Amino acid sequence: MRTQKIMTTAALTFIFVASATAQQMSISQEKEDIIEVLKAYKSALENKTAEGTFDLFSADSEVYEQGGVEGSYANYIEHHLGPELSHFNRFEFSDYTVQVETSLPYAFTTETYTYTIELQAEKGASPRIISRKGVATSVLKKTDGEWKIIKMHSSSRNKK
């Protein structure tokens, strides 16, 4: 009887450890997938395009920037960011970090970075360089097996 209890305890312990390990691996993969969504967005901006970015956001997403409500991502691209991208020679991120917390089916992220924008020069002038420290917080939701940004807020300030 004692041997049977020990075997049962050992088996249950193994199942618990295996389950916890699988769950940790699953969470780790989820975080990697979330980071890939954020990096795809950042990469598109650096390439000065919105191409492919609509797939990263939910149709009913909400975007906030610098204390303003931009509306959905589609509205943000059409009326704000899209037109701006055409005036940039260069858009680069540096000192990029990201933190991810998951509570399935949601994820909460904080990105910090420095961005540098080189604006196209007007006739006879030198290009203007803007370099700022920024932060973005996003809420993502996993729907139909894919992570989508449902809310994004970003702000920036002058570098010291």
Side-chain angles (χ1 to χ4, degrees):
M1 190 60 131
R2 180 164 164 71
T3 303
Q4 188 176 6
K5 280 186 177 180
I6 291 171
M7 294 298 284
T8 302
T9 301
L12 290 173
T13 301
F14 175 77
I15 291 169
F16 175 75
V17 170
S19 175
T21 301
Q23 187 177 13
Q24 282 295 88
M25 289 173 57
S26 175
I27 290 171
S28 178
Q29 184 60 54
E30 296 292 354
K31 286 183 177 184
E32 287 179 34
D33 294 346
I34 293 160
I35 290 169
E36 285 304 312
V37 169
L38 299 175
K39 284 184 176 181
Y41 180 65
K42 183 172 71 70
S43 178
L45 293 181
E46 289 180 317
N47 289 311
K48 300 177 296 191
T49 183
E51 188 175 324
T53 60
F54 289 92
D55 294 337
L56 305 173
F57 289 79
S58 66
D60 60 347
S61 61
E62 297 174 352
V63 178
Y64 309 92
E65 183 181 77
Q66 301 298 102
V69 177
E70 301 292 338
S72 69
Y73 180 70
N75 186 69
Y76 178 58
I77 288 298
E78 184 178 346
H79 298 286
H80 185 117
L81 187 59
E84 284 181 349
L85 290 174
S86 66
H87 296 286
F88 298 167
N89 286 333
R90 180 171 54 103
F91 192 155
E92 293 178 347
F93 289 91
S94 59
D95 304 321
Y96 179 81
T97 65
V98 60
Q99 295 176 318
V100 178
E101 290 184 38
T102 58
S103 181
L104 295 174
Y106 295 97
F108 310 91
T109 68
T110 303
E111 300 167 276
T112 60
Y113 46 82
T114 298
Y115 69 83
T116 303
I117 297 172
E118 179 182 312
L119 297 172
Q120 293 174 353
E122 300 205 13
K123 287 186 178 183
S126 298
R128 184 171 159 222
I129 306 288
I130 300 168
S131 186
R132 298 176 64 96
K133 293 186 76 58
V135 64
T137 56
S138 298
V139 178
L140 294 85
K141 183 176 182 184
K142 192 167 191 179
T143 306
D144 297 329
E146 293 187 25
W147 286 103
K148 303 277 185 177
I149 300 167
I150 60 174
K151 294 186 185 292
M152 176 182 275
H153 178 250
S154 64
S155 63
S156 63
R157 65 177 183 216
N158 288 330
K159 287 176 58 175
K160 291 182 180 183

